[in-house]
Amino acid sequence: MNRFSACIEMLFAPETADFAQRIHLAKAAGFELVEFWMWSNKDLDAVERALGETGVKLAGIVAEPFAELTRPSDHERFLAGLERSRDVALRLSAPVLICQSGPLLAGVDRASQYEALTRAMSRSADVLNGSGVRLALEPLNDRVDHPGYFLTSTAEALDIMDRVNRPEIGITYDLYHSMVMDEEPEQVVARRIGHIAHVHIADHPGRNEPGSGRLPLKQKLRWLEAQGYRGAVGLEFRPTGTTTDALRVMRGSLR
């Protein structure tokens, strides 16, 4: 699988604070794809220029604003922001916008929050209809990185995709978060590979480069590929040292 995307929020950050310059560093390191998180705090002119100068493609960005999609009263704010995020994605030719569910709300039954999240995804599909941009809802672990997060189950996220049943909506499948939650990709994804719009990887413990921990990332990536996944694989990890050294360890472990 050669569709690795450098998450330049983490990779090349030790080398330069100049965000757009990280795109040039990614190109020099052999990447044809990069991704990042929020767009509203970036110099988009500089990013667009760097993408054009290097020929590097943008695999994805975050759909802003972060919202409590488990709370119906927050949906309008998110959908208004999604329109702006869609327009930025189109400007930068990013095919994927990544979003999160928001927190598990106290005092509200889980079924109601699940229904609210499902409705948010359905309405998001309408916003993205005809744009070619896909929204990718991301399950996260609540054991290490995101205590109090609602959507920790990949199977539950895929159930939402089954219910929404719109091509504009999928999931970001993060192998790190999934396996921290003791999920086995072969079991939780099974035959629903078509719902995966984007993939992230990092090792555990530490959320560092593949090869630094104990997760069988090579085998799991090969399984996803064998099931037909052909999208980008985002390298969303913290290098333990320099990015160059981390990439050397990663490539050795995944070869």
Side-chain angles (χ1 to χ4, degrees):
M1 187 178 290
N2 57 5
R3 299 283 293 171
F4 289 123
S5 169
C7 177
I8 56 175
E9 300 282 355
M10 292 177 159
L11 302 189
F12 308 104
E15 285 73 27
T16 179
D18 184 331
F19 192 79
Q21 181 61 24
R22 295 177 200 172
I23 297 173
H24 289 271
L25 294 178
K27 177 66 174 181
F31 287 98
E32 298 298 329
L33 294 170
V34 297
E35 60 189 76
F36 55 86
W37 298 336
M38 296 176 66
W39 54 264
S40 62
N41 62 353
K42 306 295 190 298
D43 182 341
L44 294 182
D45 289 337
V47 168
E48 187 173 27
R49 189 163 50 249
L51 292 171
E53 289 168 351
T54 59
V56 169
K57 303 299 183 185
L58 186 59
I61 54 177
V62 165
E64 297 185 49
F66 290 105
E68 295 181 348
L69 299 182
T70 48
R71 189 187 302 276
S73 61
D74 212 18
H75 287 182
E76 295 300 333
R77 184 175 71 93
F78 175 75
L79 293 169
L82 182 60
E83 291 187 10
R84 295 188 293 272
S85 296
R86 174 202 62 201
D87 292 344
V88 171
L90 289 171
R91 173 184 172 182
L92 301 178
S93 299
V96 173
L97 289 166
I98 297 171
C99 75
Q100 298 175 355
S101 71
L104 179 65
L105 301 176
V108 182
D109 67 275
R110 186 173 182 89
S112 296
Q113 296 180 64
Y114 179 87
E115 290 299 323
L117 178 56
T118 302
R119 287 197 300 275
M121 292 298 99
S122 292
R123 296 183 67 190
S124 295
D126 293 335
V127 172
L128 297 177
N129 184 34
S131 69
V133 177
R134 198 174 186 192
L135 184 66
L137 177 65
E138 186 170 22
L140 303 173
N141 83 78
D142 65 353
R143 295 179 177 177
V144 178
D145 301 278
H146 300 278
Y149 189 69
F150 176 82
L151 189 64
T152 61
S153 164
T154 299
E156 191 170 34
L158 292 168
D159 289 344
I160 291 173
M161 298 304 111
D162 284 342
R163 290 185 61 190
V164 173
N165 194 28
R166 292 281 299 270
E168 299 90 353
I169 308 296
I171 73 165
T172 294
Y173 184 50
D174 190 312
L175 283 162
Y176 163 77
H177 288 300
S178 181
M179 288 192 279
V180 166
M181 295 302 294
D182 293 326
E183 293 181 345
E184 288 294 334
E186 298 87 344
Q187 296 175 9
V188 297
V189 175
R191 297 180 178 88
R192 297 194 282 183
I193 198 79
H195 287 318
I196 297 179
H198 195 65
V199 167
H200 280 156
I201 60 171
D203 216 331
H204 178 65
R207 200 178 178 183
N208 304 123
E209 61 268 15
S212 65
R214 60 175 182 264
L215 296 183
L217 294 167
K218 175 180 176 180
Q219 294 91 324
K220 302 310 181 184
L221 285 174
R222 285 183 173 176
W223 182 83
L224 289 172
E225 186 176 36
Q227 303 313 299
Y229 180 70
R230 296 292 182 268
V233 176
L235 306 180
E236 195 182 50
F237 61 76
R238 289 184 288 265
T240 52
T242 68
T243 300
T244 297
D245 288 343
L247 291 175
R248 185 180 302 114
V249 170
M250 181 207 80
R251 286 168 175 148
S253 72
L254 298 181
R255 184 174 297 118

